[in-house]
Every structure is written in structure tokens, then in C-alpha cells.
Amino acid sequence: MKMHRSPMLVLLLVAGCGGGATGSLVIDGRPAQITDCASAERERVENAVDLTTNVGTFRLTRAADGQAEISYLVSALVTPGGIPIPLQRRNVIPGCGPMTFTREDYMQGGLYPVSGSATLDCSNTGSSDPSPHTFRGSVSFDRCR
């Protein structure tokens, strides 16, 4: 007996291959919309995902203690006046909240997709960092590559 595939089933399977990120995120007191996610393995960083928002791109890394660390390029965020900060260095804010992280056991496009979630509540406003920021909210990411 010859089997026929339903075009709708094939379309659903293809549509389910991509990844994405969602959540409620506030950066520096302003809502941030997550627009994209990518595995940080592109830059040979393990246990990390890069999230792109309308405010800038930042990296969530799962530390050994299960806490999220946020890193960002100073130029990735803008000042309250909307002026981009000149490229300086990558800043790290440790201890931002619990984070889960899994790496798939198959490759897609030369990378292993990553999934997980994080609940964030941290800032570096009390530090000597030249670019103080606050991050609050929760994010989920699924099959980011």
C-alpha cells in the first residue's frame, strides 16, 4: 500500500524546526521585547544563549551554581536618551537568578540547538561599572541555534 503525506503535516513539521525566545523582560526600568535568540556556541561559549531585544543584545550564561550571569557589550545597550554607547568592553553581572539550560543531542545548521529558561533580578548599579543596568523578568528560549 502506497502512503501519501499530508501537505499540512509536512508544513507543520517544517514550521516546528525553528527556535525562539519569549518572556517578560524589563531592562533599566523599560519593557524590552525579545526578537531573536542564538546559541553562544557560535563564539565557542558553552551553556549560554544570546538574546536580541529592542534595547540590545545580551548573553545569558548558566554558571556552575545554576545562576544566570548576564554579559553585554557596552555598545549593545543605549542610554536613556537613546544614544548608543561607544564600543568598550563586555560587562558581566553575576548572580542574576536561577537558570535552566539544555543542549540538544543533534545538530542543526552546524550547531546544537539550546533551550532553557531564566528568572532574572539583578543590576550593577552599585558597582563602578561605567554602564550600570538592571535586568528583571523571566525568559524562556527553545531550540535556539
Side-chain angles (χ1 to χ4, degrees), residues 25-97:
L25 187 61
V26 176
I27 300 175
D28 299 336
R30 297 176 299 189
Q33 180 180 4
I34 302 168
T35 58
D36 197 14
C37 65
S39 171
E41 284 189 358
R42 293 177 189 273
E43 295 181 23
R44 296 187 175 110
V45 178
E46 294 182 4
N47 299 321
V49 63
D50 292 335
L51 297 178
T52 302
T53 72
N54 61 321
V55 178
T57 299
F58 63 95
R59 177 171 292 156
L60 288 177
T61 303
R62 186 175 186 275
D65 64 358
Q67 293 286 303
E69 292 182 348
I70 296 178
S71 57
Y72 57 93
L73 291 174
V74 173
S75 66
L77 299 175
V78 295
T79 63
I83 301 167
I85 301 169
L87 178 62
Q88 293 179 18
R89 62 184 169 86
R90 186 175 297 274
N91 296 333
V92 177
I93 306 173
C96 288

Side-chain angles (χ1 to χ4, degrees), residues 89-122:
R89 62 184 169 86
R90 186 175 297 274
N91 296 333
V92 177
I93 306 173
C96 288
M99 180 176 175
T100 63
F101 187 90
T102 57
R103 180 178 177 246
E104 301 296 338
D105 59 356
Y106 61 88
M107 289 186 95
Q108 256 184 333
L111 294 170
Y112 293 94
V114 297
S115 300
S117 64
T119 301
L120 307 171
D121 187 4
C122 60

